[in-house]
Amino acid sequence: MATGKDLNPSYLRERGRHSDGQRFRFQNFAQRVAAVDIDVHHRLTADDMAEWRREAGEEEAEEARPFAMQTLERWVELNQTGQFTAFRTELSPMLLSVPLMLHRQDAIFEALHRHLTGVSTEALPPMLELATALAVDLRQEFYPRFAPLLGALGRLLGSSAEDVARVEAVFTAAAYLLKYLLRQLLADLPAALAAYAPLLSHPKQHVRDFAAESFSYLLRRLPRASLPAALPATLLPQIGCSSNLDSGIALLLFHTVRGLSQRFHSRTPEVLAPLLEALSSASSTASASAASASASAASAVAAPGEEGAAPGPSAAPPGGSRGALLEVLSEALGLMSEHT
């Protein structure tokens, strides 16, 4: 028999995580942000459920139904908002089979982006869950849609970064997309980071932190042998573009090496070593350029009467990307120090 706690809406909604089922407890913004959980990589995913269905011997007809259609039907009774009802009415005829979805994918994504524009927080979770379900059904066909969809997710946070439920829905969807498109994203990691840059450079600190936490999953899944080449090629072009993005990359490095119980991931040396080497190489290059410029200036002073003498090369400014890289590494190391 259900108890009063079992019937408490707050307890049911939060599954008992943040409620004792008896009374409402006020949480300030920092506490609500700290309670957000976007770690989807230890949850039951679409691939896990498909495997479970096969082992359970369910009918092949059920397995053949697109996961996007199953997701849409599951939300019919869970969300009765007018925005989601209109969204479901328009999209459901295009989700009857994977071949049909491939044929109508332009119309599907056009409708998805249109309905995400101006959507309320209440209608947002089922729409974003459907977007991740499309990644399950379409896989490599979905990848060209990844960057535009990330742009739409960023716009959802444009003026609503203080809405904790909205932030959690957005980054839960982003984390699932990174998980389902892992193979394609690892093969094109610099482009993936460039698409994620608007989230990593968001003006709000907590948004940058969630973006870094979700994207760190990709860096952790890089083959160990490819880290020395892949990390500088991915991160260095983005460093120095803006102070917010530099802060987001520092958070990304921290979440990549952060472990449990105040420990660090086993790949920490392989993650930091290529960037420290790049910093050292930039410092050596700047010193050599400065020395060359000084020698050229000295020879020009020694022969002032010669006309047409070519001026020596000007020294490349040691700041710029080298200074930004130093700041990024300093911030990341500071976060690591606080973690311990």
Side-chain angles (χ1 to χ4, degrees):
M1 180 176 178
T3 64
K5 177 185 290 189
D6 295 328
L7 298 176
N8 186 305
S10 176
Y11 186 84
L12 291 174
R13 183 173 59 254
E14 302 294 338
R15 298 177 184 176
R17 289 180 300 170
H18 316 305
S19 170
D20 59 6
Q22 296 178 0
R23 62 186 181 275
F24 172 79
R25 290 184 177 179
F26 172 78
Q27 290 182 317
N28 60 29
F29 181 72
Q31 290 171 324
R32 285 184 285 132
V33 169
V36 171
D37 178 18
I38 63 169
D39 181 15
V40 304
H41 310 298
H42 297 93
R43 303 181 193 174
L44 190 66
T45 65
D47 294 334
D48 301 326
M49 288 188 286
E51 181 65 25
W52 177 80
R53 289 192 184 99
R54 283 193 292 270
E55 293 177 355
E58 291 191 3
E59 297 180 0
E60 294 184 1
E62 179 66 20
E63 294 182 11
R65 297 174 65 226
F67 185 64
M69 190 64 176
Q70 299 176 45
T71 300
L72 201 64
E73 292 176 347
R74 183 167 53 81
W75 279 96
V76 169
E77 295 183 1
L78 297 177
N79 195 298
Q80 293 291 322
T81 60
Q83 289 179 322
F84 174 65
T85 300
F87 175 79
R88 174 174 55 84
T89 301
E90 182 174 356
L91 265 73
S92 56
M94 297 185 283
L95 305 178
L96 298 177
S97 68
V98 173
L100 177 61
M101 292 168 60
L102 290 170
H103 179 67
R104 300 296 306 276
Q105 59 179 301
D106 290 338
I108 290 173
F109 283 98
E110 187 278 328
L112 176 62
H113 283 275
R114 177 161 34 84
H115 284 277
L116 285 177
T117 303
V119 65
S120 66
T121 301
E122 291 74 19
L124 184 60
M127 294 186 187
L128 293 184
E129 189 169 333
L130 177 75
T132 62
L134 290 172
V136 175
D137 290 324
L138 301 179
R139 294 293 182 172
Q140 65 269 19
E141 298 293 333
F142 184 95
Y143 181 65
R145 317 282 183 170
F146 174 73
L149 186 56
L150 274 185
L153 296 184
R155 288 189 292 274
L156 287 173
L157 299 177
S159 59
S160 306
E162 305 297 330
D163 188 337
V164 178
R166 197 177 187 89
V167 171
E168 183 173 18
V170 165
F171 281 107
T172 298
Y176 273 119
L177 290 175
L178 296 178
K179 184 178 180 68
Y180 293 146
L181 300 173
L182 176 65
R183 181 178 302 176
Q184 293 87 351
L185 292 171
L186 288 183
D188 196 13
L189 196 57
L193 182 62
Y196 226 76
L199 293 174
L200 285 169
S201 60
H202 196 277
K204 296 295 183 180
Q205 167 77 17
H206 64 280
V207 175
R208 296 198 299 271
D209 192 54
F210 286 134
E213 181 182 351
S214 55
F215 196 86
S216 66
Y217 169 73
L218 291 184
L219 300 189
R220 286 177 179 238
R221 295 301 300 270
L222 275 172
R224 189 182 295 266
S226 67
L227 283 171
L231 276 181
T234 300
L235 298 180
L236 292 183
Q238 301 295 332
I239 292 177
C241 294
S242 71
S243 58
N244 283 341
L245 182 55
D246 288 347
S247 174
I249 292 175
L251 287 166
L252 173 59
L253 290 173
F254 167 65
H255 282 290
T256 301
V257 303
R258 186 184 68 170
L260 300 175
S261 303
Q262 298 179 328
R263 297 174 182 267
F264 294 107
H265 197 273
S266 61
R267 291 187 173 189
T268 299
E270 288 88 346
V271 170
L272 295 179
L275 299 176
L276 292 171
E277 183 178 348
L279 179 63
S280 175
S281 176
S283 299
S284 301
T285 301
S287 299
S289 298
S292 175
S294 298
S296 299
S299 67
V301 170
E306 296 183 7
E307 296 183 2
S314 59
S321 60
R322 184 174 68 91
L325 177 57
L326 178 61
E327 293 183 5
V328 166
L329 289 173
S330 298
E331 184 175 348
L333 292 173
L335 293 170
M336 293 170 63
S337 177
E338 294 176 6
H339 178 61
T340 58

